[in-house]
Every structure is written in structure tokens, then in C-alpha cells.
Amino acid sequence: MKVKKFKTHSLEKCYAIAPLRYNKKDYILVAAEKVNRCLMFDLEGNLEDTIWEEPGGTMSIVQVPNSNGIFLATHKFYSPNDSKEAKIVIVSADKNGNWSIRTLVELPHVHRFDIISRDGQYYLVAATLCSGRDFKDDWAHKGKVYYAKLPEDLSAYNEDNQLELTVIKDELLKNHGYFRGYENGYEYCVIGSEDGVYKIVPPKKGEQEFEVIQLLDTPASDMTLVDLDNDGNLEMIVFSPFHGKNLDIYKLKDMRYDKFWSFGETFEFSHALWSGEINGRPMAILGHREGKKQLIAVTMEAGEVVTYVLDENVGVANTLAYKNEDKTYIVSANREIDEIAFYEVR
């Protein structure tokens, strides 16, 4: 597998990436971790609009289902030590294309969030990296996972009328990783922390409680699930520990995940992790922010795990693969060199 980097843009500390459907067209959003912009690109990598100039601190972006370009985003999560003012905001455009931002909910230290659905009900699920800081690098206050039923109409929510959240799971040290999965007609979440990996399943219609299932009892910084060998079971690709050096793959056996492959080198400051199909092949695209700072593809060929180095010395924070007509592209937030890069898969 090879890629060609065909277009780049500069954005200091670029971080979050997400697709957006707006005015019947598909776009890519990229926002900064620090005080900086959120940019909108077409699928060819051309800059189309600037959504905001600041405040930034954007860890996650998710479009509101069935909306015309309305999306939620985190603001003011600048680092684990500077995230007590973090919140989730609603971003929308008027008929003239002018973007406005208002508060959905203030949630200190919110790092990842998503919108998932089951039986016609949408849920906002939000995960906090920790629950407070008494001093720099204080991890005594563990993170939590929250939810709220997401109303169809968000127009009433603002700083003075915020969405009320309920705790699903607490006591999660360094609650960092997130993955959205799909099974049996509904979506679910997977959360990664130093206390393990947990699958969070929304309730059936008529029920109230989320189901929490522990998949691993070992630390995980990030993880994704993908059926690499096409046997009908999802393999779990895991970075560990927090922002750590290990890249491992776990295989489901006898209803539990067992490690069966490890990357042969230290994976320094592991971070970016996406999985899906590229040109009909299940694979993961991932990266790390220190050391060789590589962007790597992981897949299986003839029953063996293989890796391809797609780029290096870039320091990837997040990455996303997508199709545009008959071509496949990868967009990467190469944070350590302040570069948004678009690659064509060859």
C-alpha cells in the first residue's frame, strides 16, 4: 500500500478531524487543540471556509444526525492540565453561511464525546479524561462517562439552559480512548482507560440503563475494533499505556480478547487511530507523535499482520480515511509539524 501526499495546509497544533454533510455536499472539518481555527475543506482538500477563529481546544467533532451541517464540538480542552473550562458547543450556519456557536453543556475535562442511537433514540455520550485537577499532572480525580437523551431540536440550549447529563461509568483513570461500533442494528461505544477497556451499550426501547461490559482489564490509551481477517469477529487494536509505547492486536477467543500480535518497535506517544475498509480491505490507519512520528497502515495478508509506513516525521494526532467517487483519501492532522495533509491511496 502506498499513498501520495497531494495537498497540505498549515494549522498550528491541528488535532480533531470529522466529516460533515452540509448543503448536500460532503466536507472535512479540522480543528486545533490550542487557541486556533476550525477549517472546512472539500473532499479534494481545498479550503472552503473558516468555521471559527478561536477558542479552539477541540478534541472531538460530531455532526448532529439528520441535520444540515449542524455539529457539536469540544471547546477549551487545551491540555490535560488546562481543561477545567472545557465544554461541548453547538455549531450551525444561517442561510447566508454565517456560523454561530452556543453552549450545549459545560463539562470540565471533557475529551471525547459522540452521538449514538438505538431503537430510534439518539444519545449524547461524553467521556472526561479526569474529574478535576488540584495541581499539575494530578490524576487523583478519575474520569467518568456521561449520557443524555439528545433532543431532535437543540435550538433551546445555550449557556443559560444546558443539557443535563447522567453518569454511566466513573472511576476511570486517564479516560482517553474512544471508538464507536455497530452491531445488531444499534450503535455502541468502547472506552479506553488505565483501568481497562469497556463496551457501553445503550438501552433497548422501554429500558433505561446502559450496559457496561469490560473487554480488557489492562491499560489502554486508544483502541479500535475491525475484522482484519474477515472471520466475522472484530480484532481489537490497542495503544497502551496512556499515550504509550505499545501497539498490540487482540483476537476474540472463547468470548475474551487475547493478545496475538505486537508491533516490533516502540510506538512513542501513540495517538491517531482509525479503522475501516480501504479499497475493500479491512485495515487500521494509525500514528504516533514522538520518535519516528510515523503514519502507518495495519492490515492482514495471508493470515499474517502486515504494516506499511505511509509517512514519517509528521507526528499524527488524528486521521481519517474516506472515499470520493472512485478514489480513497486519508486526511491527517500532523500536529507535530502543524500540517493538515491530504493523501491519495494508490
Side-chain angles (χ1 to χ4, degrees):
M1 177 179 172
K2 294 182 179 180
V3 299
K4 177 185 177 181
K5 185 186 292 187
F6 68 92
K7 195 157 293 185
T8 63
H9 301 266
S10 179
L11 179 62
E12 185 177 5
K13 299 297 180 284
C14 51
Y15 189 95
I17 302 175
L20 185 74
R21 183 73 176 174
Y22 173 55
N23 286 346
K24 299 182 180 180
K25 293 183 179 180
D26 292 314
Y27 296 95
I28 301 293
L29 298 174
V30 184
E33 176 181 357
K34 301 301 182 181
V35 178
N36 216 313
R37 296 170 293 161
C38 175
L39 304 176
M40 186 172 78
F41 300 91
D42 67 17
L43 298 189
E44 298 291 336
N46 300 304
L47 180 61
E48 291 286 324
D49 204 352
T50 297
I51 308 299
W52 65 70
E53 294 287 344
E54 56 178 69
T58 303
M59 299 288 102
S60 301
I61 300 171
V62 180
Q63 181 160 2
V64 175
N66 307 314
S67 73
N68 181 28
I70 302 173
F71 66 93
L72 307 182
T74 44
H75 271 184
K76 296 189 176 182
F77 187 111
Y78 301 117
S79 73
N81 288 307
D82 187 8
S83 56
K84 66 180 181 180
E85 295 182 357
K87 58 185 175 178
I88 300 173
V89 298
I90 308 166
V91 186
S92 60
D94 63 21
K95 62 181 180 180
N96 297 316
N98 299 311
W99 296 91
S100 63
I101 301 167
R102 66 184 190 279
T103 298
L104 176 65
V105 58
E106 295 172 350
L107 184 58
H109 313 289
V110 59
H111 182 256
R112 299 295 188 199
F113 75 87
D114 201 0
I115 300 170
I116 63 172
S117 66
R118 184 171 189 177
D119 296 337
Q121 176 63 59
Y122 287 99
Y123 299 91
L124 174 71
V125 178
T128 57
L129 185 66
C130 61
S131 294
R133 283 272 156 111
D134 294 332
F135 50 86
K136 185 178 180 180
D137 297 332
D138 173 22
W139 292 105
H141 309 283
K142 292 187 176 184
K144 301 177 182 180
V145 181
Y146 300 80
Y147 87 94
K149 289 184 177 181
L150 193 70
E152 291 185 14
D153 184 3
L154 298 176
S155 61
Y157 293 95
N158 53 49
E159 188 173 350
D160 298 321
N161 181 40
Q162 299 184 23
L163 187 66
E164 185 176 345
L165 301 176
T166 301
V167 174
I168 301 172
K169 172 70 177 169
D170 59 6
E171 295 298 304
L172 294 168
L173 177 62
K174 299 178 181 177
N175 181 24
H176 185 267
Y178 179 84
F179 167 79
R180 180 206 296 171
Y182 181 86
E183 64 183 12
N184 302 323
Y186 61 84
E187 294 168 315
Y188 63 89
C189 307
V190 179
I191 302 294
S193 71
E194 289 288 283
D195 295 300
V197 175
Y198 295 86
K199 180 179 179 180
I200 298 177
V201 181
K204 298 177 183 178
K205 188 173 184 178
E207 298 181 359
Q208 299 296 321
E209 298 297 323
F210 280 68
E211 184 180 9
V212 179
I213 305 162
Q214 188 167 26
L215 301 181
L216 286 181
D217 60 5
T218 54
S221 184
D222 292 273
M223 70 281 119
T224 190
L225 285 86
V226 58
D227 186 4
L228 291 174
D229 57 6
N230 286 308
D231 69 348
N233 293 316
L234 299 177
E235 281 69 55
M236 188 190 307
I237 303 173
V238 180
F239 294 151
S240 67
F242 179 62
H243 286 164
K245 63 182 181 179
N246 302 314
L247 166 59
D248 302 308
I249 301 180
Y250 291 75
K251 194 169 182 62
L252 190 62
K253 184 178 180 181
D254 298 328
M255 303 300 293
R256 58 169 290 169
Y257 277 98
D258 292 325
K259 187 189 302 184
F260 84 101
W261 180 89
S262 296
F263 192 62
E265 302 177 35
T266 298
F267 212 65
E268 299 179 60
F269 206 128
S270 56
H271 208 275
L273 188 52
W274 172 93
S275 67
E277 281 197 0
I278 292 183
N279 296 337
R281 296 174 60 188
M283 66 177 62
I285 307 296
L286 43 91
H288 56 131
R289 288 167 46 181
E290 292 181 359
K292 295 181 180 180
K293 301 183 179 72
Q294 294 169 320
L295 179 68
I296 292 175
V298 176
T299 188
M300 291 188 74
E301 297 174 0
E304 299 293 329
V305 177
V306 293
T307 62
Y308 297 93
V309 176
L310 306 180
D311 205 352
E312 57 186 357
N313 298 316
V314 292
V316 189
N318 286 290
T319 188
L320 172 71
Y322 64 93
K323 286 189 69 69
N324 181 25
E325 296 181 349
D326 60 342
K327 295 182 179 180
T328 299
Y329 298 98
I330 297 170
V331 56
S332 180
N334 296 337
R335 179 192 183 278
E336 304 311 312
I337 59 171
D338 302 327
E339 176 190 78
I340 301 167
F342 288 84
Y343 303 84
E344 182 183 340
V345 178
R346 297 296 179 88

